[in-house]
Amino acid sequence: MRDYKKYEIWKLGHHLALEVYKISERFPREEIFGMTSQLRRAIISVNFNIVEGCGRGSDEDFKRMLTIASGSSFEVDYALLLSHDLGFISDQDYAEISPKSEELKMKISKLILKIQEDIDKKNKEKGNKK
């Protein structure tokens, strides 16, 4: 088991979630069940999947949950773009939050690759011991 609070991607995702909630409070009222809900659910999904992956017992499970988190991070990125283009997010807020979304996507991808390297190394070591 891993401590999710020690992972940079979780910290970044958590701070991004706080920002998403703050920004989405200003979305039009009629979007409460639309874009507001979708964006919030997507960012929460990123973090919940990271946390759940940390609670799993194997590298393979952790990688699988990170892959799901990665997909959700792409959803967040697009939801932010669409919200900006619809005028729900100001240019300034978008300029501040968008790079953080990009960084989160990149860091999740890098961690997935690192976990896969660890899996491959362990499998190779098991093969050499036979």
Side-chain angles (χ1 to χ4, degrees):
M1 299 230 303
R2 298 165 169 88
D3 181 359
Y4 66 89
K5 292 178 184 174
K6 291 183 180 178
Y7 280 87
E8 184 67 27
I9 59 168
W10 177 82
K11 292 175 187 176
L12 182 58
H14 181 69
H15 291 292
L16 189 58
L18 295 173
E19 289 185 46
V20 161
Y21 266 76
K22 194 177 297 182
I23 287 172
S24 63
E25 285 177 352
R26 299 187 301 259
F27 284 13
R29 195 85 186 126
E30 62 269 12
E31 287 297 325
I32 193 77
F33 298 111
M35 189 57 69
T36 305
S37 176
Q38 189 67 32
L39 179 55
R40 287 177 174 186
R41 283 184 292 124
I43 190 59
I44 290 169
S45 177
V46 172
N47 297 321
F48 280 166
N49 281 293
I50 293 168
V51 170
E52 183 175 348
C54 286
R56 299 290 179 121
S58 70
D59 287 345
E60 289 84 358
D61 283 342
F62 186 38
K63 181 186 158 215
R64 185 170 55 79
M65 299 310 296
L66 288 174
T67 302
I68 296 167
S70 177
S72 294
S73 72
F74 277 81
E75 186 178 352
V76 168
D77 195 56
Y78 175 65
L80 289 170
L81 173 64
L82 181 58
S83 296
H84 171 258
D85 289 351
L86 290 169
F88 302 162
I89 298 176
S90 71
D91 291 342
Q92 180 180 345
D93 284 342
Y94 185 72
E96 290 176 17
I97 201 168
S98 181
K100 294 173 187 175
S101 177
E102 288 291 329
E103 181 182 5
L104 180 60
K105 289 187 326 187
M106 180 192 68
K107 287 188 175 192
I108 292 172
S109 293
K110 284 184 178 182
L111 184 55
I112 290 169
L113 291 174
K114 170 71 171 97
I115 297 297
Q116 185 60 54
E117 287 174 7
D118 292 347
I119 291 168
D120 293 344
K121 183 179 177 183
K122 287 177 186 175
N123 288 338
K124 186 176 179 183
E125 288 171 0
K126 283 181 186 177
N128 288 338
K129 290 181 182 180
K130 290 183 179 180

